[in-house]
Amino acid sequence: GEKENDGIVIKKNEMVVISGNKKGVKILSIVKDITDKKIQMTYEEYDKNANTGKEMLTHNADETGVIIQGDIELTVGQEKYNLKKGDGFYFDSRLPHKFKNIGSRKAIMVSANTPPSF
């Protein structure tokens, strides 16, 4: 049978929303408590035209991810990058960065930060 609640499998409805009140952005932390973890992985949904906000994000980590659906504009420092389904990224999160959905439908990506930092 299927083993439940041993912490190995986390269902989507058990994930913690960490995007705050950012309009049209839903960032789910796959692990509820990141205190003693080495990696923080997130499942992220961006409605059409949604973005991570006017302020650029910075946190003390390396960040990597892959686009699952849609089109994302990633800004790192002064540079902008257009990412489509299947494209990935990797950068030093201490550099100011932000994400924006520039496509015509919801964008979905999965990303990871090490060490966990937000």
Side-chain angles (χ1 to χ4, degrees):
E2 212 178 289
K3 186 158 172 58
E4 293 290 333
N5 296 328
D6 61 4
I8 291 176
V9 172
I10 300 97
K11 301 290 188 181
K12 190 176 178 187
N13 65 356
E14 299 172 324
M15 294 177 192
V16 179
V17 178
I18 57 172
S19 46
N21 299 319
K22 293 191 172 83
K23 191 170 169 11
V25 178
K26 187 174 188 182
I27 301 176
L28 301 171
S29 182
I30 292 173
V31 178
K32 289 183 209 171
D33 181 8
I34 61 169
T35 310
D36 62 345
K37 304 298 187 289
K38 293 180 178 63
I39 301 170
Q40 179 176 29
M41 187 164 250
T42 55
Y43 176 89
E44 309 183 22
E45 297 180 346
Y46 294 79
D47 291 343
K48 186 179 173 183
N49 297 320
N51 63 72
T52 51
K54 287 193 183 81
E55 296 291 316
M56 300 273 272
L57 308 170
T58 56
H59 43 107
N60 191 15
D62 278 17
E63 186 162 339
T64 187
V66 65
I67 310 306
I68 306 299
Q69 172 183 298
D71 300 285
I72 289 280
E73 178 186 80
L74 166 63
T75 304
V76 180
Q78 301 298 316
E79 297 296 320
K80 292 187 187 313
Y81 306 91
N82 289 345
L83 301 166
K84 299 190 175 312
K85 179 181 176 178
D87 291 343
F89 57 86
Y90 187 107
F91 61 89
D92 182 334
S93 303
R94 289 173 298 192
L95 297 170
H97 58 280
K98 70 180 188 179
F99 297 92
K100 180 180 181 184
N101 181 353
I102 55 169
S104 57
R105 63 179 183 148
K106 180 185 283 191
I108 299 172
M109 70 180 194
V110 173
S111 70
N113 288 278
T114 182
S117 55
F118 75 97

